[in-house]
DNA sequence: GACAACGGTCTGATATACCGGACAACAACA
DNA sequence: TGTTGTTGTCCGGTATATCAGACCGTTGTC
């Protein structure tokens, strides 16, 4: 439906081709055949073949045994360079591990990426539920508890200017009331945390607290994703732990 | 001395410029100023500026507050995609965490990358010693314990063909005797592990065991890096743990 | 066996990306 | 104040990267 791929003109710059190629791989989160890549990017066949071979030589991409293409070692190296260099991520990792270990729940560090919400770090509980994390997957802000925290303190105009109209429609087709959403954000800000149930997925309960960096809006959120069956006291416990952890991560600047 | 950067001809392909640009960033492991990037890559000024801005827009690079350039979020996403998708890495991570937690030592998963040795995963002990990991940094094979394990089972010719002549010279300037090295590998193979002391760095003791995937040479090694002051029984304990862990990671195929 | 779909390589023409170099803003310094 | 170095933007010519399409081997289907 939505042509997410850059409907690029013919004779595009190689670098742009490379970028859209990698973006497609990230979207699919699975190795892709050359054919799929060609169709997904809209790039000419010969260009895709050439670029893939260039990138493979550099270790940016790898070809699996069945001829599919996916990210290679180099990306792993570069990604770790980024994560190691990023202050917040580096400090958050051990904290999140401890949270996950202690409560055996999935802990996430979430941030805004442009006008979308995204998971930056994911730490699973012991039970290895999901095989691949969803780090870097962009989700409309109104769909999430964290989104409500991250918008805290923003002006009404800035908020509406930021969020695309269509992002207020849930996967179910239901539309989120804008006024209610704004009120939600305000009460979230006062309360200091957000908790949503069955917003995107009907079995999950999401709780998020802000992580600050200096004054201004929250830099990130720390959150638990738990089953809806968790009872009240359990939720209290988890929230308290989140608050404490986020406090240790926040910096007054 | 060694011109590691691709002394590329003028009017090079943009994609190649991008590749060498990122490689330089990875080598430096620190944000770089435009000037440094220009000098390191040998690319024209205008090209670097243009490419950096293209890549920044895509989130591949980011500019720090002081105008330096480093990897961006996108790399983090792609890198995690790679690591999540890679069977060995995914399985190794929890195992390594447990090892590090139990013994409070640095655990690493190492592999060959071309004709070099490199760390693929690094799990620090509790004491946060080194601020940035060395994942993806290429090191001559003969400098390491893991290298000796990884070469196990290779023919003499293949080995000598693989390793560049200059890689037998240690950072200290000392030259590693080739015959001794080959004998070392053979005894390592028989023994089932390698242990080196003060090879690259005089304070460390490195112990490595192979991780197999099907028949043939080891796919990777699992290793501890400990202080040389660790006594005999401690070393035995650690080795036993490594062996057990590597066994759980290896697959008969 | 004929036909179609697919997977990959190769080549030549041409649109354009890349680069040299000009330009401006700013700082350091004598 | 003039000189020198650095940081960044912009522009036009031309070397060349990109792309259309031909080509070939393989696979599957009727």
């Amino acid at each position: 439906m939505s042509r997410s791929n850059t409907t690029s003109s013919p004779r595009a710059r190689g670098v742009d081709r490379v970028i859209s190629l990698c973006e497609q791989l990230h979207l699919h989160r699975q190795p892709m055949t050359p054919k799929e890549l060609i169709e997904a990017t809209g790039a000419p066949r010969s260009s895709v073949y050439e670029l893939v071979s260039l990138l493979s030589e550099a270790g940016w991409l790898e070809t699996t045994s069945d001829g599919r293409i996916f990210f290679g070692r180099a990306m792993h190296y570069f990604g770790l360079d980024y994560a190691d260099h990023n202050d917040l991520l580096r400090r958050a990792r051990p904290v999140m591990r401890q949270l996950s270990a202690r409560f055996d729940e999935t802990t996430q560090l979430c941030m805004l990426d442009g006008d979308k919400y995204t998971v930056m770090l994911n730490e699973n509980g012991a039970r290895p539920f999901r095989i691949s994390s969803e780090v870097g997957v962009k989700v409309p802000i109104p769909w999430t508890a964290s989104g409500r925290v991250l918008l805290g303190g923003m002006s009404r105009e800035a908020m509406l200017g930021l969020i695309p109209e269509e992002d207020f429609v849930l996967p179910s087709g239901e539309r989120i009331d804008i006024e209610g959403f704004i009120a939600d954000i305000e009460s979230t800000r006062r309360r200091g945390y957000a908790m949503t149930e069955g917003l995107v997925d009907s079995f999950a309960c999401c709780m998020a607290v802000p992580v600050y960096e200096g004054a201004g809006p929250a830099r990130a959120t720390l959150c638990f994703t738990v089953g809806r069956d968790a009872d009240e006291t359990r939720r209290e416990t988890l929230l308290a732990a989140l608050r404490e952890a986020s406090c240790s991560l926040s910096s007054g600047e």
Side-chain angles (χ1 to χ4, degrees), chain A residues 129-229:
Chain A
F129 221 172
R130 38 185 53 138
I131 179 163
S132 78
S133 77
E134 293 170 10
V135 172
V137 174
K138 295 184 182 181
V139 175
I141 300 174
W143 295 10
T144 68
S146 287
R148 285 162 171 72
V149 176
L150 289 166
L151 293 182
M154 252 191 178
S155 78
R156 181 195 169 88
E157 292 71 37
M159 228 150 62
L160 294 182
L162 178 68
I163 305 177
E165 183 57 31
E166 63 269 26
D167 283 5
F168 286 101
V169 181
L170 287 170
S172 64
E174 195 193 346
R175 171 171 280 278
I176 295 175
D177 173 57
I178 293 193
E179 295 311 319
F181 178 65
I182 291 179
D184 229 13
I185 290 171
E186 180 53 22
S187 65
T188 293
R189 200 180 60 74
R190 266 197 265 269
R191 205 188 311 132
Y193 70 91
M195 173 139 32
T196 61
E197 284 193 60
L199 202 54
V200 268
D201 124 30
S202 48
F203 308 110
C205 164
C206 243
M207 49 188 83
V209 305
V211 177
Y212 294 105
E213 194 174 88
R219 171 86 196 286
T221 68
L222 207 56
C223 55
F224 275 131
T225 305
V226 307
R228 287 182 78 170
D229 53 343

Side-chain angles (χ1 to χ4, degrees), chain A residues 88-101:
Chain A
L88 180 57
L89 295 193
R90 202 177 52 232
R91 279 163 38 226
R93 214 153 18 184
V95 171
M96 292 170 61
R97 280 195 196 168
Q98 220 171 6
L99 284 176
S100 283

